[in-house]
Structures are given as structure tokens and as C-alpha cells.
């Protein structure tokens, strides 16, 4: 098991929760709230994927239980997700359920391979502005997902949602013994049943299963043709699942002030998808909304809540399906609206913050939000944000490079011109380097002082070769001095071999 650098080990936190009635109550009740919130979402994601609701519900059960044991981030919830549903929907539509299951299993294998290969280390390249945009886009998507449940519904839905919101705002000020979302769900369900209110409920979302999941082997031919069909979707699912899971893990790390093993989380997600596939599930990844309910709203911190969320989900839909079906959607909508409000980084969009923040940083955040909300895919938004951040960084750093003519002192040969280059030299800054020299007006000896710069890539070496070539064409000689050891090694290795690069 993995130890946290900022807190107790996983074993210690679980044992501490088991030994403390208060902590255990938090874990158990939080898991129950998460399980209740998972049911309608798993059903809706099943509809997106084009499969029976049982496929999404069983996937949520197996994902949560498996990741609770195998994952690297305690208290994080994994289940069937909308992003995965969008990726695999074409497989179901064109080839059927067996090919879907094969795709999920292969995606799990790919996630294990990618994690062992060190893909989690790429998280260091995701800037803070992308993380902020990721969180804000998530909050917007969670809220937008509730709107269909608020239009074209009986008028009673609106006061019920309002009551649910009031309960979740005011109850924590009185007591935190029981999670406010659970109280809101139970109270609104009780009112609905006692007064026989005719409002949309969980049962309207889809049929709940009446039997336990069973082991299932996909009936697909083990041929290259099958691999050609499922491999592109499996790779897309693996990448989307890893990205969302690792981003969620980093978010929970920040909320809880602890560190988690991202590599273990990655291969844990892969293992969970393999198990889910063999039980006929649609696969999934970390669920940010449910994770926020578990960690931020309810205060859970251990694997107990994740494991019990899966167990409670199965018990609720199989053993208590009739009761669960009568839970009003208004109660769950209220819970998710509170999650949306709590997830949004309001400080990041405050006018005072926006005035102080550099335009490039705000642009990166905005691109992440816009692309995510437009595509309804967090992975696309993160990729777009990272690319925007890279372009903005390259543009900013490129402007720090300058070429200065050094005045010749009286003792210096009047046939020598000295240029001093300052700044970081890479493709964005070195492409214009060739235009900073006076090839016609300079004397026959040119000295380029590189003591205040660093050569980062082949583009810079090619630019220096081009400068030398242009001066040579005028019968002039160039001497490059002051290179640090790394730059000198790169220059010596590549200089003269990049003639076609400029």
C-alpha cells in the first residue's frame, strides 16, 4: 500500500476510521449519498452508450469496489462516466455488446501498460490555469446536466429543489453528524411517498436490475480484424479515462492536502476496467461530481467510502429497487446543484482576480472551459488548454531573446564586430535570430557571444549555421564563444548536419 507524504498511510487511515465511530459514520453515510447519486447518472450514461441500464449500473458497482482496493487515491469514486460512454457508443451501435465488452477489457490492459510506462508523470506538464479551467468546466457541466430535469416538469419539482437546497445550506450550520445531502434525499422522498406526489423519480430514468452481475466472456473472434475494430476505441477510452482519473486525483490531493500515487491510480483504473468488462459492464473512470460529494461535501477520506459506495449501489438497485425507484429526481438535482456550486472556483472568476491575472493565464483557463463545455468532454478541454498554454509560454519566452551589438573598445580590432545574444534559444525564439545581424555592413570578423543564453533544440543550431553561412557568402568569418557545456555539446553534435532545416 502507498503512504501519503503529508499524512498517514492508507492502512492507518482505514484502521483509524474503523476504530472511530465518528469517522466510520462519515464514511458510511457519505458512501450512501454517493450510491444514491450514482444511480440516475449510471442509467443516463447507459442510454448515451446505447446499452441496457444494467450495463451502466453494474459497471459502477465493479469499478467502485475494484478501485477501492487497487487505486492510488483513497476516497475517490470511479464508475461509469459520460466521457467513456461517448467514446464507446459507436462500438455498441455498429458491432454490438460483445464488442463493447472486448473494448473495455482491452482499454483496461492499455491503461495498465501506459501507467507502468510512466504516463502519470505527464501530469507535471498540466499548468494551474488548465486545472482551474478543468474544475470550472466541471462545475458548469454538472449544472447543465440538471437542466433537463428542470424543464417540462410538474410545478412541484421547483419548490422541492428549493427545499433540498435550503436543507443542504442550513443543516451543516446546525450539525454535521449526518450528511446534509442524505437528509435532503430522505426527507423529500418521504414527503413524496406520504402525500403521493406525482413528480419524476429515479424509476422514470430506466429499469433497475433485479439480479446480481455474473461473469461474462465476450463472444468475439480472436482475430486481427477484431483488434482493428476495437483497438482505436480502446485506446481513446484508455486515454480519456486516465486523463480524467489523474486530473481528479490531483484535485482531491489539493482538497485534502495529501499526496497520492498517480501511477498506482492509473493501473488501478486499468484493472477496474478489466474486471468491469468481464462482468458485462461498460467501463468507466473517476467521477468528479461523485468524488466531490464524497470528499468535499461529506468529508470522507478513506477507501471505505469508495468500497461501500459500490456495495450500497448494488444493494439499492437489486435489493431495494422498488424503494429507490421512488426517490424524486428533484432531490438528486438539488444535491448536484450544490456540488456544482461547491466545485466552481469562484475566486478565479472574481473581477479583482481577473484584473490581476495575466491575459495569457486567463485565456488558457477560458479555452479549457469553452472546449470542455462545448464538447461535453473534459479530456478535450484539458488537451486544448495545455496546447494553448504551450503556445502562450513559447510566445512569451521568445520575446525575452535579444541580440545586442557590443561597442568595440579602443584596443579591439576595428575589423571585428561583437554580438551578444541573451535569452533562451529554441524554435520560437531562434527562427528570427538570422535576421538580427548586419551581413553587409559588418566587418570581416564576427564574434557571437552566447554566454548569456542556452541552446535548447536543433532549430537554434540550424539558425546559427544559417548565420555562419550568410556571413561566409560575404567572405566573412564567424566565431561563436561562451557556450555552456550542454549547449556546446548540442552545437558540436548537430552543426553542419542541418543544412536542409533552414
Amino acid at each position: 500500500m502507498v503512504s501519503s507524504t503529508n499524512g498517514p498511510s492508507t492502512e492507518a487511515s482505514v484502521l483509524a476510521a474503523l476504530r472511530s465511530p465518528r469517522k466510520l459514520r462519515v464514511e458510511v453515510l457519505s458512501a450512501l449519498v454517493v450510491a444514491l447519486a450514482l444511480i440516475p447518472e449510471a442509467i443516463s450514461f447507459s442510454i448515451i452508450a446505447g446499452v441496457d441500464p444494467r450495463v451502466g449500473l453494474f459497471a459502477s458497482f465493479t469499478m467502485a469496489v475494484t478501485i477501492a482496493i487497487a487505486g492510488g487515491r483513497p476516497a475517490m469514486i470511479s464508475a461509469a462516466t459520460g466521457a467513456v460512454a461517448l467514446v464507446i457508443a459507436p462500438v455498441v451501435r455498429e458491432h454490438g455488446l460483445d464488442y463493447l465488452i472486448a473494448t473495455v477489457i482491452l482499454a483496461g490492459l492499455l491503461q495498465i501498460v501506459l501507467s507502468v510506462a510512466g504516463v502519470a508523470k505527464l501530469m507535471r506538464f498540466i499548468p494551474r490555469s488548465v486545472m482551474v479551467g478543468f474544475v470550472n468546466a466541471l462545475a458548469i457541466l454538472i449544472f447543465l446536466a440538471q437542466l433537463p430535469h428542470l424543464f417540462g416538469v410538474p410545478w412541484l419539482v421547483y419548490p422541492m429543489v428549493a427545499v433540498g437546497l435550503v436543507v443542504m445550506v442550513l443543516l451543516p450550520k446546525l450539525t454535521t453528524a449526518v450528511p446534509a445531502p442524505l437528509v435532503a434525499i430522505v426527507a423529500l422522498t418521504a414527503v413524496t411517498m406520504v402525500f403521493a406526489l406525482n413528480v419524476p423519480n429515479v424509476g422514470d430514468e430506466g429499469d433497475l436490475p433485479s439480479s446480481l452481475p455474473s461473469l461474462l466472456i465476450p463472444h468475439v473472434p480472436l482475430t486481427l480484424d477484431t483488434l482493428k475494430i476495437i483497438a482505436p476505441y480502446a485506446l481513446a477510452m484508455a486515454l480519456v479515462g486516465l486523463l480524467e482519473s489523474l486530473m481528479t486525483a490531483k484535485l482531491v490531493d489539493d482538497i485534502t492536502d495529501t499526496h497520492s500515487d498517480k501511477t498506482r491510480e492509473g493501473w488501478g483504473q486499468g484493472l477496474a476496467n478489466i474486471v468491469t468488462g468481464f462482468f458485462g459492464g461498460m467501463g468507466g473512470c473517476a467521477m468528479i461530481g461523485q468524488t466531490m460529494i464524497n470528499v468535499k461535501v461529506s468529508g470522507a477520506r478513506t477507501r471505505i467510502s469508495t468500497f461501500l459506495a459500490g456495495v450500497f449501489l448494488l444493494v439499492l438497485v437489486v435489493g431495494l429497487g422498488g424503494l429507490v425507484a421512488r426517490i424524486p429526481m428533484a432531490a438528486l438535482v438539488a444535491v448536484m446543484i450544490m456540488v456544482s456550486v461547491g466545485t466552481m472556483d469562484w475566486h478565479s472568476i472574481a473581477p479583482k482576480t481577473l484584473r490581476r491575472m495575466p491575459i495569457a493565464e486567463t485565456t488558457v483557463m477560458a479555452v479549457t472551459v469553452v472546449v470542455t463545455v462545448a464538447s461535453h468532454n473534459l479530456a478535450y478541454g484539458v488537451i486544448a488548454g495545455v496546447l494553448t498554454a504551450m503556445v502562450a509560454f513559447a510566445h512569451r519566452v521568445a520575446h525575452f531573446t535579444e541580440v545586442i551589438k557590443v561597442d568595440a573598445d579602443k584596443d579591439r580590432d576595428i575589423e571585428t564586430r561583437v554580438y551578444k545574444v541573451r535569452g533562451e534559444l529554441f524554435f520560437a525564439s531562434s527562427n528570427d535570430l538570422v535576421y538580427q545581424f548586419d551581413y553587409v555592413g559588418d566587418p570581416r570578423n564576427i564574434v557571437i557571444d552566447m554566454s548569456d543564453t542556452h541552446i535548447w533544440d536543433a532549430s537554434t543550431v540550424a539558425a546559427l549555421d544559417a548565420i555562419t553561412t550568410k556571413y561566409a557568402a560575404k567572405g566573412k568569418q564567424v566565431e561563436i564563444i561562451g557556450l555552456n557545456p550542454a549547449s556546446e555539446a548540442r552545437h558540436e553534435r548537430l552543426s553542419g548536419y542541418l543544412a536542409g532545416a533552414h
Side-chain angles (χ1 to χ4, degrees), residues 70-103:
R73 173 66 259 179
M76 198 164 80
I77 305 298
S78 292
T81 59
V84 169
L86 289 170
V87 171
I88 62 177
V91 181
V92 182
R93 185 170 59 249
E94 297 171 15
H95 304 284
L97 182 60
D98 284 311
Y99 279 85
L100 163 65
I101 296 171
T103 301

Side-chain angles (χ1 to χ4, degrees), residues 31 68 142 157 186:
I142 292 174
V157 168
V186 171

Side-chain angles (χ1 to χ4, degrees), residues 138-405:
L138 164 67
I140 294 171
L141 287 178
I142 292 174
F143 180 78
L144 292 178
Q146 311 317 308
L147 295 183
H149 302 294
L150 295 174
F151 291 106
V153 294
W155 69 270
L156 282 171
V157 168
Y158 303 110
M160 291 180 71
V161 171
V163 169
L165 293 173
V166 170
V167 169
M168 285 182 282
V169 170
L170 298 181
L171 184 61
K173 298 180 180 179
L174 302 176
T175 178
T176 57
V178 181
L182 181 60
V183 173
I185 293 171
V186 171
L188 291 175
T189 302
V191 169
T192 301
M193 296 174 65
V194 169
F195 294 99
L197 301 180
N198 184 22
V199 292
N201 55 37
V202 171
D204 297 329
E205 297 296 301
D207 295 330
L208 300 178
S210 58
S211 61
L212 297 173
S214 57
L215 193 63
L216 180 64
I217 306 296
H219 296 291
V220 296
L222 299 177
T223 63
L224 272 178
D225 288 336
T226 299
L227 185 62
K228 289 178 182 178
I229 292 172
I230 67 174
Y233 298 106
L235 180 60
M237 176 181 165
L239 293 175
V240 168
L242 280 177
L243 182 58
E244 291 206 22
S245 298
L246 295 177
M247 291 285 285
T248 305
K250 190 174 187 301
L251 179 60
V252 178
D253 287 354
D254 293 340
I255 292 172
T256 60
D257 291 325
T258 58
H259 175 71
S260 61
D261 187 337
K262 305 301 187 299
T263 297
R264 177 176 171 177
E265 181 60 38
W267 65 253
Q269 291 287 335
L271 180 61
N273 273 308
I274 292 172
V275 172
T276 297
F278 279 116
F279 278 91
M282 60 181 276
C285 62
M287 292 197 76
I288 309 171
Q290 272 61 32
T291 298
M292 290 299 100
I293 293 176
N294 197 43
V295 175
K296 196 169 184 179
V297 177
S298 302
R301 290 292 182 270
T302 76
R303 300 176 187 275
I304 295 173
S305 57
T306 306
F307 181 83
L308 289 181
V311 173
F312 285 157
L313 173 66
L314 189 65
V315 171
L316 288 170
V317 299
V318 175
L320 301 173
L323 178 61
V324 170
R326 301 183 67 178
I327 295 175
M329 286 302 300
L332 299 177
V333 167
V335 171
M336 297 312 293
I337 289 176
M338 285 300 295
V339 170
S340 173
V341 172
T343 301
M344 176 69 75
D345 186 345
W346 297 103
H347 174 73
S348 69
I349 58 175
K352 184 178 180 180
T353 303
L354 293 175
R355 286 194 298 268
R356 182 181 296 269
M357 194 67 63
I359 294 177
E361 301 287 332
T362 303
T363 301
V364 170
M365 180 186 71
V367 168
T368 305
V369 171
V370 170
V371 173
T372 300
V373 173
S375 66
H376 284 247
N377 192 314
L378 290 164
Y380 291 162
V382 171
I383 292 171
V386 170
L387 291 176
T388 304
M390 291 171 61
V391 172
F393 175 77
H395 182 266
R396 186 165 61 249
V397 174
H399 283 71
F400 292 153
T401 303
E402 58 180 349
V403 178
I404 304 170
K405 287 183 180 180

